[in-house]
Amino acid sequence: MEQRVIKRVAAIHDLSGFGRASLTAIIPTLSSMGVQVCPLPTAILSNHTGGFDHYSFVDLTDTMEEYIDHWKRLNLTFDCIYSGFLGSVRQIEIVAGFLDHFGGEDTLAVVDPVMGDNGRLYSSMKPEITEEMKKLVGKADIITPNFTEAAFLLGEPYREEITDEEVKAWLLRLSEMGPRTVIITSVPGRRVTGQVQSEDTNVIAYDRPGNAFWKVGCRYIPAFYPGTGDTFTSVIIGSLLQGDSLPVAIDRGVQFISQCIKASYGFDYPRREGVLLEKELDILKMPAIMGSFEML
Ligand code: PXL
């Protein structure tokens, strides 16, 4: 593959005009980390679907193949292919074809199986999406499901509590579907400090090449902001492309999202507008100071 000054990511996601999710979160995040983003839009929405009652939705499935054909003619290569929100079964097939053509040893294939959160599928998702998403997961090097999506992929009922040992079993089962690295976000946890019990939300990961489980804990903040999953995975990709190790990349992702939430929480504005990303992006340019990752 050609030696590039700037690493290049093909980002296969929707463009939601308002609300800081998908491409409007991914592009600024990866750009701030010195990575070029080449968007392959799957749909155009007026606003994302998390917390808004109405949205316009233009499905771009029919335009995607021609778009990709032009990229083929340009002989483009990518350091990473990163897919997220996909609107239909047909789109998943197109992305699978994209991975077959543009994927390879030098190209990191990252699939965020965006389907739902808090135990439920997003309103725009049809139930058959889960079966199809499993096929895409099989082609990925890294997947980043949240706890809800991990449960859907495994056919497990959603639950409010889980032990580290049970999460490890889930991670191994997800890795057996294909990906060498599985990162589950929003894993519910509980921390006991003296008499005080507090809720945590953890990221727990399995790395097959290193045969290691990693955990990064995060104090639970009672606020849900759409789009943080997209920003989190973008930080991980940026960090890995900068040459960081997996636990460092996850740590940077968790620290950045925690910082964004803490910086946003004190302001009184609708949470559905997402975290105040623009205030925090410069942090991504600072040297990373390691926080709290541990080996499980
Ligand atoms: O961030 C995930 C996401 C992506 N795209 C759309 C969404 C959501 C979450 O709500 O609605 C359109």
Side-chain angles (χ1 to χ4, degrees):
M1 189 152 70
E2 68 181 292
Q3 217 29 52
R4 265 192 290 276
V5 179
I6 298 284
K7 301 272 182 177
R8 185 188 290 160
V9 176
I12 314 175
H13 300 256
D14 67 281
L15 178 73
S16 288
F18 187 70
R20 300 189 184 92
S22 47
L23 284 174
T24 60
I26 292 160
I27 297 172
T29 303
L30 278 165
S31 299
S32 297
M33 298 180 85
V35 174
Q36 179 191 7
V37 181
C38 304
L40 166 49
T42 58
I44 297 188
L45 292 85
S46 51
N47 45 275
H48 63 69
T49 64
F52 293 96
D53 296 334
H54 305 281
Y55 52 90
S56 69
F57 186 105
V58 178
D59 185 339
L60 295 181
T61 308
D62 290 340
T63 69
M64 283 172 75
E65 279 173 308
E66 192 192 336
Y67 194 112
I68 293 167
D69 281 344
H70 281 277
W71 280 10
K72 286 181 183 165
R73 242 182 278 166
L74 290 171
N75 284 325
L76 294 185
T77 57
F78 299 98
D79 301 287
C80 172
I81 298 166
Y82 166 28
S83 78
F85 181 92
L86 301 170
S88 64
V89 168
R90 175 87 192 100
Q91 266 186 12
I92 295 183
E93 287 165 5
I94 293 173
V95 176
F98 189 93
L99 285 167
D100 288 340
H101 183 89
F102 290 97
E105 248 184 39
D106 296 328
T107 303
L108 193 63
V110 180
V111 170
D112 187 0
V114 175
M115 293 187 287
D117 209 349
N118 300 309
R120 292 208 314 251
L121 290 180
Y122 291 127
S123 57
S124 60
M125 293 284 164
K126 303 211 169 67
E128 58 266 27
I129 207 90
T130 307
E131 275 315 302
E132 223 39 46
M133 195 58 93
K134 282 187 200 167
K135 295 184 195 158
L136 209 52
V137 161
K139 291 180 179 290
D141 297 313
I142 300 179
I143 59 169
T144 56
N146 62 31
F147 189 58
T148 299
E149 290 153 351
F152 272 103
L153 288 172
L154 292 171
E156 292 282 345
Y158 182 74
R159 44 202 284 193
E160 306 268 317
E161 285 188 23
I162 192 160
T163 65
D164 286 351
E165 288 312 306
E166 287 171 315
V167 180
K168 279 169 131 178
W170 281 27
L171 287 164
L172 288 173
R173 282 169 60 201
L174 287 166
S175 178
E176 277 163 17
M177 292 181 179
R180 60 171 155 79
T181 302
V182 179
I183 303 168
I184 307 183
T185 60
S186 310
V187 179
R190 193 156 283 169
R191 188 204 314 234
V192 183
T193 321
Q195 301 288 323
V196 183
Q197 267 203 14
S198 56
E199 300 290 321
D200 276 3
T201 165
N202 298 313
V203 176
I204 306 188
Y206 173 62
D207 184 41
R208 195 176 339 118
N211 192 28
F213 293 92
W214 301 100
K215 176 173 175 177
V216 184
C218 179
R219 191 62 63 85
Y220 180 77
I221 299 174
F224 170 73
Y225 295 88
T228 48
D230 301 321
T231 304
F232 173 75
T233 302
S234 301
V235 175
I236 290 186
I237 290 171
S239 180
L240 291 174
L241 293 182
Q242 286 176 359
D244 290 333
S245 69
L246 179 70
V248 168
I250 298 173
D251 200 306
R252 287 181 73 184
V254 170
Q255 283 191 49
F256 185 65
I257 295 300
S258 308
Q259 172 70 24
C260 285
I261 292 178
K262 284 175 190 160
S264 307
Y265 192 55
F267 289 105
D268 183 21
Y269 72 98
R271 307 263 180 260
R272 66 189 189 182
E273 293 182 15
V275 289
L276 302 176
L277 189 60
E278 300 79 4
K279 271 178 85 65
E280 302 306 310
L281 281 172
D282 285 350
I283 295 173
L284 294 171
K285 298 195 192 304
M286 293 177 180
I289 298 165
M290 272 330 98
S292 57
F293 69 77
E294 55 183 305
M295 208 173 201
L296 272 190

